[in-house]
Amino acid sequence: MSISKNLQLVQHRIANSAQAAGRDPASITLLAVSKTFDVQAVLAAAQAGQRAFGENYVQEAIDKIAATRDMREHNPDLQLEWHFIGPIQSNKTRQIAEHFDWVHSVDRLKIAQRLSEQRPADMPPLQICLQVNVSGEATKSGLEPEALLEIARAVVLLPNIRLRGLMAIPEPTEDVQQQRAAFAKLRFMQNDLQAVGIQTDTLSMGMSADMDAAIAEGATIVRIGTAIFGVRDYAK
Ligand SMILES: *Cc1c(COP(=O)(O)O)cnc(C)c1O
């Protein structure tokens, strides 16, 4: 199936899940995760109206960002928004700070500090989410829930980044109740932040296999790859 058709189907799914949860579909942003797919795939999605793209690998992403930026001369509509969603190594923070609009995967204060220091002065603040481990032992990515408040308090003081919210990648499960429980945890953590005066508006949660549960629990950004672009081939 074509990328534009897939996008339509995903948008319908978002609308249906939102409606079922009594939410406005417009309160949910679709992030198209284009990792491992080439710039042609990004352009096909962009032509179908998609604007926000998520990437996991810095160099691969920068190549696509540069290619689409060059094309913007001829096509002013090609104003795309780039979100970094992969694990962050400290030696990659400068490139991330210089090229992306958002970073969803900040899991250490040191990374947030470097992103703030390295964000170019002529760019708007980098929009970030703190990635939290909501599945305990099962996964290693994300900061521990107990560490969240302290890190969030420090992050909101950094000048060149803006804390927008929280992100999670729960352990995969087909059990919808379990999916919802993990996403609900992230929502409760956002409430905890609010209780100490840290306002955020973003819950980045839900992928192709669990987006409906995520929307039911309040996702404001769903990160969708496979359902839009097809199955990834990491061998390429
Ligand atoms: C790859 C990836 C996605 C997309 O996953 P799909 O199952 O293909 O929709 C979403 N979020 C993160 C952090 C990813 O690495």
Side-chain angles (χ1 to χ4, degrees), residues 55-69:
E55 290 281 342
N56 291 52
Y57 310 107
V58 176
Q59 193 53 52
E60 177 192 335
I62 288 175
D63 292 344
K64 287 179 221 178
I65 293 169
T68 53
R69 199 160 280 160

Side-chain angles (χ1 to χ4, degrees), residues 32-225:
V33 177
S34 44
K35 64 171 178 240
T36 77
F37 291 94
D38 60 16
V39 74
Q40 298 310 322
V42 170
L43 290 175
Q47 248 146 31
Q50 180 64 30
R51 287 294 170 267
F53 291 86
E55 290 281 342
N56 291 52
Y57 310 107
V58 176
Q59 193 53 52
E60 177 192 335
I62 288 175
D63 292 344
K64 287 179 221 178
I65 293 169
T68 53
R69 199 160 280 160
D70 287 347
M71 291 173 208
R72 212 159 64 198
E73 254 176 63
H74 309 286
N75 184 357
D77 284 347
L78 209 58
Q79 183 77 45
L80 307 182
E81 189 177 274
W82 293 94
H83 296 230
F84 190 79
I85 62 174
I88 305 174
Q89 295 166 295
S90 330
N91 63 356
K92 295 285 166 62
T93 52
R94 181 175 299 279
Q95 284 174 298
I96 294 172
E98 288 176 351
H99 290 94
F100 284 84
D101 303 295
W102 281 70
V103 181
H104 293 224
S105 41
V106 178
D107 62 356
R108 279 167 288 159
L109 180 56
K110 183 178 152 218
I111 295 293
Q113 287 166 333
R114 290 174 68 95
L115 290 171
S116 181
E117 275 163 25
Q118 294 167 343
R119 182 67 165 175
D122 60 347
M123 291 178 84
L126 187 60
Q127 313 293 305
I128 73 153
C129 293
L130 290 172
Q131 182 178 353
V132 186
N133 179 1
V134 293
S135 300
E137 293 285 288
T139 60
K140 294 182 297 309
S141 57
L143 55 92
E144 292 308 315
E146 301 76 44
L148 174 62
L149 269 186
E150 195 186 329
I151 292 183
R153 282 194 166 107
V155 162
V156 294
L157 301 176
L158 296 171
N160 301 322
I161 61 182
R162 181 172 303 144
L163 179 63
R164 294 295 298 270
L166 303 177
M167 182 273 233
I169 311 173
E171 177 189 18
T173 168
E174 289 186 0
D175 181 332
V176 174
Q177 289 315 311
Q178 252 173 274
Q179 290 174 0
R180 287 191 58 160
F183 293 133
K185 272 195 207 169
L186 201 66
R187 178 161 50 78
F188 296 147
M189 288 179 216
Q190 187 183 42
N191 293 343
D192 293 345
L193 290 182
Q194 180 149 16
V196 299
I198 299 175
Q199 305 288 348
T200 61
D201 60 11
T202 300
L203 286 175
S204 167
M205 55 190 199
M207 318 202 316
S208 295
D210 57 14
M211 59 181 285
D212 308 291
I215 290 169
E217 295 297 342
T220 64
I221 300 182
V222 289
R223 308 178 310 268
I224 309 299

